Amino acid sequence: MKSYEYILLKLLNAQLTKNNKILTADIFVKTVLQLSDSDWWNLIKLAQNHSVLSIIAENEVFIDNCNHAQKEYIFDEANKVVMRNYRLLWLASKYQKILNDAGIDSVLIKGFATAIYYDVPEVRKSGDIDILITDKNKVDKAIYVLLSKGLKYVDKQHSSHHIELVNDRGITVELHQTLAEHFDNKYMDNQLQDIVKEYKEHKASISFLGNTLYIPSDGYNAFSLIVHMLQHYLRAGFGLKLLCDWVVFWNRTISDTEKEQFIYQVKQLHMETFVSAITSVCVRYFGLSKEKVSFMMNEKEDKTLLNAIIMDIIEAEEFGYSDKNRMVVLRDSKINSLIREFHHQMVINYPKMSHYIVLWPILWVCTLLVFLRNNKKVRHTNTFHILKNASKRSQIRKRMEV
């Protein structure tokens, strides 16, 4: 781990737990003194690439060690996050009210459904508005209603589990009919669909800065967060922001009933080892209270695995954008895993046509051609490097049993 990566983890720990005492440890102070001006810029850029710069922007130890130009840059970027969040908050409340008035039940996921657990919700960076329609039979109606209020379809849809709409200011609204893309496991997909149906009966109304939001109850909110992490991990990866969300969420007081609901859902999808690993990483590196989350952790802590996970997450930056060679993570390095993932990508890319087995050979060819073309013209890399990276990450996946 590079020195500035170590410093960033400690700064996030201090901010998330409101404990600056950890920044007075001899090893931390010594490491800070050894950082060059370029190292501080590397730290700032790394935090920005993980969308957590605004979280540490007001940490005194951090700011006191920055020069004037760095301070101006940090505060400017943090202010952009805060101002955008005010806009997103107002719009999220507005769109949920429109849907409710039309008889369409919804809950807000990610974004402010998570930001409210931060001491200063506005510093948690959000890119768009994610709304889960709890009755998938009303998704088309929800689209029609929002289109009638001035939103428009995004020209190119990037997912099969939500529809992207955009307003006249360029802010995207994602209307979800489920929590994640299809997994390469039909059992998991079916279980996830059943759980989503329950969200209608497990929601809470909150008020923030005069805006009313409808979010999932704690157990269901936690489940949506971990499924979001799993989905991105199985693709190109995810960054530190999602770990920060996990820390502030569970460092609160949560009822045993909500904990039981969360664990029950996790077991339905056989995600226990993944949940334990992610939670252990947050305890080890970010100050998540072990006492509050011991119910979801394995008794034995595998330090080498936790180190591998945190380094993979640091390397990924936000949603795997850091490396053009990062795509999916395979189940293992065997050829059958590659074939299975290739077929899975075909199903994702052609969700309707893939129902017809007779079309599979054609769709496989189309998927392969698009994959090879994108490697060369979009990612500017080659297939060998992508497969090598996927195989490397598969070793971590195997140990997490996902």
Side-chain angles (χ1 to χ4, degrees):
M1 184 180 295
K2 297 182 179 67
S3 295
Y4 61 84
E5 294 172 342
Y6 164 80
I7 295 296
L8 177 57
L9 295 185
K10 289 296 182 181
L11 288 169
L12 287 170
N13 187 322
Q15 284 301 104
L16 297 174
T17 61
K18 296 177 287 186
N19 179 20
N20 254 18
K21 288 183 179 180
I22 64 175
L23 305 183
T24 61
D26 291 343
I27 185 172
F28 179 85
V29 174
K30 183 179 179 180
T31 305
V32 167
L33 293 175
Q34 292 175 343
L35 290 186
S36 64
D37 187 64
S38 62
D39 286 330
W40 277 105
W41 276 116
N42 286 334
L43 189 159
I44 292 167
K45 289 296 184 180
L46 181 64
Q48 186 174 29
N49 291 341
H50 279 272
S51 292
V52 296
L53 182 60
S54 51
I55 295 176
I56 61 173
E58 292 190 348
N59 185 280
E60 295 177 0
V61 175
F62 174 48
I63 294 302
D64 287 348
N65 282 279
C66 294
N67 61 37
H68 179 71
Q70 291 165 344
K71 290 177 183 178
E72 286 203 336
Y73 181 85
I74 294 165
F75 290 139
D76 182 54
E77 293 301 311
N79 285 336
K80 290 178 184 177
V81 170
V82 171
M83 296 307 296
R84 180 176 176 84
N85 278 342
Y86 285 135
R87 183 69 179 171
L88 290 174
L89 170 64
W90 181 78
L91 287 172
S93 177
K94 172 186 175 181
Y95 294 140
Q96 278 201 296
K97 185 178 186 306
I98 290 172
L99 293 172
N100 286 342
D101 290 346
I104 303 168
D105 194 77
S106 71
V107 289
L108 195 67
I109 55 175
K110 300 182 282 185
F112 262 91
T114 304
I116 57 171
Y117 302 119
Y118 285 78
D119 281 347
V120 183
E122 299 94 318
V123 302
R124 194 272 187 189
K125 186 176 181 180
S126 298
D128 47 35
I129 299 169
D130 295 270
I131 300 176
L132 174 66
I133 307 301
T134 57
D135 181 353
K136 70 175 185 179
N137 294 322
K138 291 189 176 181
V139 172
D140 288 341
K141 182 180 179 181
I143 294 170
Y144 173 79
V145 168
L146 292 180
L147 289 177
S148 70
K149 297 297 181 179
L151 275 75
K152 298 179 181 179
Y153 274 107
V154 171
D155 290 337
K156 186 176 181 181
Q157 297 292 320
H158 298 94
S159 175
S160 63
H161 75 291
H162 62 64
I163 299 296
E164 295 183 20
L165 307 177
V166 64
N167 71 4
D168 57 358
R169 297 286 186 90
I171 292 177
T172 301
V173 178
E174 295 183 357
L175 286 182
H176 293 250
Q177 55 187 343
T178 187
L179 296 173
E181 288 280 10
H182 294 297
F183 293 102
D184 64 347
N185 182 312
K186 285 191 175 182
Y187 171 82
M188 287 185 68
D189 285 337
N190 292 335
Q191 290 296 317
L192 189 59
Q193 288 290 353
D194 289 340
I195 291 172
V196 167
K197 294 175 184 177
E198 301 172 10
Y199 272 70
K200 183 175 182 179
E201 307 301 326
H202 296 274
K203 67 177 184 177
S205 171
I206 63 166
S207 180
F208 181 70
L209 296 179
N211 296 280
T212 300
L213 304 173
Y214 298 93
I215 66 171
S217 59
D218 283 339
Y220 285 80
N221 206 352
F223 181 70
S224 69
L225 293 177
I226 201 67
V227 169
H228 184 220
M229 275 191 263
L230 177 61
Q231 174 184 259
H232 282 291
Y233 173 76
L234 294 177
R235 291 189 154 194
F238 64 85
L240 297 174
K241 183 177 70 173
L242 299 191
L243 296 184
C244 293
D245 291 346
W246 201 241
V247 173
V248 297
F249 183 91
W250 286 109
N251 264 347
R252 302 151 50 238
T253 298
I254 296 176
S255 72
D256 290 340
T257 300
E258 297 295 334
K259 291 177 182 178
E260 290 168 4
Q261 288 177 341
F262 170 68
I263 288 298
Y264 177 77
Q265 293 156 7
V266 166
K267 289 181 177 179
Q268 291 293 98
L269 269 68
H270 305 301
M271 294 168 57
E272 298 98 310
T273 306
F274 179 76
V275 170
S276 175
I278 293 299
T279 304
S280 296
V281 166
C282 290
V283 169
R284 182 173 178 82
Y285 296 101
F286 294 93
L288 176 57
S289 170
K290 187 173 183 178
E291 180 182 358
K292 292 185 176 181
V293 295
S294 58
F295 71 96
M296 66 173 101
M297 293 172 61
N298 293 332
E299 292 184 6
K300 289 188 177 181
E301 183 183 85
D302 186 340
K303 293 182 180 179
T304 59
L305 174 59
L306 301 188
N307 182 68
I309 294 171
I310 191 65
M311 293 311 300
D312 182 70
I313 290 172
I314 290 174
E315 179 186 293
E317 297 181 358
E318 189 173 28
F319 305 135
Y321 295 152
S322 65
D323 189 348
K324 59 192 176 184
N325 294 320
R326 291 179 71 98
M327 283 188 63
V328 298
V329 52
L330 302 176
R331 287 178 172 268
D332 53 50
S333 56
K334 298 178 181 178
I335 188 65
N336 60 320
S337 291
L338 178 60
I339 294 172
R340 177 173 179 157
E341 182 57 40
F342 183 76
H343 177 78
H344 179 221
Q345 292 301 316
M346 180 273 285
V347 173
I348 290 176
N349 292 331
Y350 305 99
K352 294 182 179 179
M353 289 189 288
S354 63
H355 288 300
Y356 304 99
I357 298 178
V358 68
L359 295 178
W360 283 5
I362 298 173
L363 299 181
W364 286 334
V365 171
C366 291
T367 302
L368 177 61
L369 291 176
V370 171
F371 176 64
L372 295 175
R373 176 186 176 278
N374 287 344
N375 290 345
K376 183 177 181 180
K377 295 189 175 182
V378 179
R379 302 182 190 96
H380 303 293
T381 185
N382 63 58
T383 303
F384 172 76
H385 288 135
I386 288 177
L387 296 180
K388 183 179 179 180
N389 183 283
S391 179
K392 173 187 170 184
R393 295 183 63 224
S394 73
Q395 301 305 311
I396 304 175
R397 173 179 179 172
K398 187 175 181 180
R399 294 169 70 182
M400 287 199 288
E401 300 177 16
V402 294

